[in-house]
Amino acid sequence: MNFKESALSIKDKLIEFRRDFHSHPELSFEEERTSNVIRKFLNDNGIEIQEIGSGYSIVGIIRGAYPGKTFAIRGDIDALPMPELNDVPYKSTVENVMHACGHDGHTASLMGAALLLNSVKDQMHGNVKLFFQAAEEKIPGGAKGMVEHGALENPYVDAVMGFHVNNTIDVGKIAYGAGAGAAAADTYVFKIIGHGGHGAYPHMTVDPIAVAAYFITNLQTIVSRNVDPTESAVITIGSIHGGSKENIIADDVEMRATVRSLNPSIRDLLHKRIVEVCKGTETMYNCKIDYQVEMGYPVLMNDKDFVEKYAIPSTEKIIGSENIIYMNKSTMGGEDFAYFLQERPGCFGSLGSRNAEKGIVNGNHTSIFDIDENCLPIGSACLTQTAWDYLECNK
């Protein structure tokens, strides 16, 4: 069975779904309207809902007529706290909230897969679970809660798959990779506490701004001088605040950092050295450094066997082998789909959504982000095809 044409036949419906969500974005852990729309969609189409009690996340179940394995497909549903600057008919109607990461497209594609699979359930061996997941954008993330509340059980999920739209990849193409696909992403908040005073008399103070300059430089040497150059790691200070006037030495400086890695041992090393740099700086500069760390999502690990045996062959049926890109590098972005892949084999692919002729080239998390909506039926078809082929191969 091939789902390419049936997915194209519902393209207008998918665009309608996506634009509705785009116009009414909701932040992580606040997706009440979005959740209600999805519930109504599932109920209207006679698709069972598994109540797991994990916030606004929803699990739908399509049960095949014949026994078999269970395959799960995920689409995240939350938006970002930022204004939309696009001048489009479906522009966000919510001030300073925007679907700037494409989750509206993920949700629409999953709804399309639901329609396609539901239409053939009388021929299907096994089941498909539909993970409409809330709160991907905010730690601790919705995926972790779904796992903890039993989304992968009753029936037991054997494999799981998802896509993320990608404006560095042309529409009509899809990228897959084995192994690490997204980084562990942790957050630090540092507060350097010194002793303020008059800028004319620095010797009578402990200047936290001067300490901060030294501290930032030394944090950067953790990666450049402690991490094997063939490994990947990032420490970025993205925010620094301190002081109020040019001739006043501040009492303290606050900084926020993101720490990213693709290897659990490297992750441990980064945290160990950060703490050591904090302690060493305190001793050297007679200051105090308070810090808080928030451990983020784990490394996302794509299963090589699943990618090669199921994802790529099924996708070839929809877009042809010439339109599949094999990724040999991971992104350093974070993604809470990693929690599903910690528990079950599967993969997380990149769905091409770029179209330079239409001016759709801007990256995720920008106020002018948009996607070529021709990617929606492609996403639905490839998710559906992979789910179907997996269940057929394992019946």
Side-chain angles (χ1 to χ4, degrees), residues 21 26 31-44 49 56 58 77:
F21 293 130
E26 294 176 299
E31 308 96 330
E32 182 177 6
R33 178 192 181 274
T34 305
S35 181
N36 287 337
V37 170
I38 294 166
R39 281 182 174 274
K40 184 178 186 304
F41 163 80
L42 295 174
N43 285 325
D44 288 349
I49 296 175
Y56 290 116
I58 300 170
I77 68 175

Side-chain angles (χ1 to χ4, degrees), residues 27-185:
L27 297 175
S28 303
F29 300 108
E30 300 176 14
E31 308 96 330
E32 182 177 6
R33 178 192 181 274
T34 305
S35 181
N36 287 337
V37 170
I38 294 166
R39 281 182 174 274
K40 184 178 186 304
F41 163 80
L42 295 174
N43 285 325
D44 288 349
N45 287 280
I47 298 174
E48 176 186 344
I49 296 175
Q50 179 183 9
E51 299 293 351
I52 61 169
S54 183
Y56 290 116
S57 296
I58 300 170
V59 177
I61 306 177
I62 299 173
R63 298 185 187 271
Y66 306 98
K69 301 281 190 179
T70 297
F71 190 91
I73 309 172
R74 179 267 218 163
D76 39 8
I77 68 175
D78 55 327
L80 286 162
M82 57 193 299
E84 177 161 18
L85 301 181
N86 290 315
D87 184 16
V88 291
Y90 46 90
K91 182 177 180 177
S92 171
T93 59
V94 183
E95 186 176 3
N96 294 322
V97 182
M98 177 191 174
H99 268 295
C101 202
H103 296 185
D104 50 343
H106 304 166
T107 305
S109 288
L110 180 52
M111 293 167 78
L115 291 174
L116 297 176
L117 288 162
N118 201 44
S119 70
V120 295
K121 64 183 179 182
D122 60 334
Q123 305 170 58
M124 192 167 76
H125 291 261
N127 316 293
V128 175
K129 281 194 171 185
L130 312 165
F131 289 173
F132 293 94
Q133 181 215 305
E136 188 278 331
E137 294 287 357
K138 189 173 183 179
I139 294 170
K144 186 173 188 288
M146 292 186 75
V147 171
E148 292 172 346
H149 284 80
L152 293 171
E153 310 297 335
N154 302 316
Y156 180 95
V157 170
D158 297 283
V160 61
M161 184 178 180
F163 279 137
H164 201 299
V165 293
N166 189 323
N167 272 4
T168 69
I169 300 173
D170 288 338
V171 67
K173 298 180 181 293
I174 290 176
Y176 293 110

Side-chain angles (χ1 to χ4, degrees), residues 45-312:
N45 287 280
I47 298 174
E48 176 186 344
I49 296 175
Q50 179 183 9
E51 299 293 351
I52 61 169
S54 183
Y56 290 116
S57 296
I58 300 170
V59 177
I61 306 177
I62 299 173
R63 298 185 187 271
Y66 306 98
K69 301 281 190 179
T70 297
F71 190 91
I73 309 172
R74 179 267 218 163
D76 39 8
I77 68 175
D78 55 327
L80 286 162
M82 57 193 299
E84 177 161 18
L85 301 181
N86 290 315
D87 184 16
V88 291
Y90 46 90
K91 182 177 180 177
S92 171
T93 59
V94 183
E95 186 176 3
N96 294 322
V97 182
M98 177 191 174
H99 268 295
C101 202
H103 296 185
D104 50 343
H106 304 166
T107 305
S109 288
L110 180 52
M111 293 167 78
L115 291 174
L116 297 176
L117 288 162
N118 201 44
S119 70
V120 295
K121 64 183 179 182
D122 60 334
Q123 305 170 58
M124 192 167 76
H125 291 261
N127 316 293
V128 175
K129 281 194 171 185
L130 312 165
F131 289 173
F132 293 94
Q133 181 215 305
E136 188 278 331
E137 294 287 357
K138 189 173 183 179
I139 294 170
K144 186 173 188 288
M146 292 186 75
V147 171
E148 292 172 346
H149 284 80
L152 293 171
E153 310 297 335
N154 302 316
Y156 180 95
V157 170
D158 297 283
V160 61
M161 184 178 180
F163 279 137
H164 201 299
V165 293
N166 189 323
N167 272 4
T168 69
I169 300 173
D170 288 338
V171 67
K173 298 180 181 293
I174 290 176
Y176 293 110
D186 306 320
T187 299
Y188 274 87
V189 179
F190 302 103
K191 188 172 185 179
I192 300 177
I193 303 169
H195 177 69
H198 198 295
Y201 312 105
H203 62 292
M204 300 175 65
T205 72
V206 176
D207 185 349
I209 291 179
V211 175
Y214 168 88
F215 182 70
I216 292 171
T217 299
N218 277 276
L219 285 182
Q220 296 309 309
T221 64
I222 292 174
V223 173
S224 67
R225 290 298 177 268
N226 292 264
V227 176
D228 185 330
T230 63
E231 296 278 359
S232 296
V234 170
I235 298 177
T236 294
I237 302 289
S239 172
I240 178 168
H241 295 277
S244 60
K245 197 173 185 292
E246 75 282 353
N247 63 346
I248 299 174
I249 291 177
D251 286 310
D252 55 67
V253 170
E254 184 171 291
M255 296 180 287
R256 300 181 68 89
T258 183
V259 179
R260 295 170 183 251
S261 53
L262 297 175
N263 181 319
S265 65
I266 297 298
R267 190 184 195 186
D268 291 342
L269 170 66
L270 295 176
H271 289 293
K272 175 177 179 289
R273 292 294 290 127
I274 287 169
V275 172
E276 290 171 347
V277 169
C278 287
K279 291 179 178 178
T281 304
E282 287 180 328
T283 300
M284 181 173 288
Y285 285 93
N286 194 30
C287 66
K288 171 70 174 172
I289 300 181
D290 291 336
Y291 64 88
Q292 296 176 324
V293 59
E294 185 174 48
M295 301 299 285
Y297 308 148
V299 178
L300 184 152
M301 296 296 293
N302 292 303
D303 184 84
K304 184 175 185 290
D305 288 342
F306 180 91
V307 169
E308 294 178 352
K309 186 175 180 180
Y310 300 109
I312 289 178

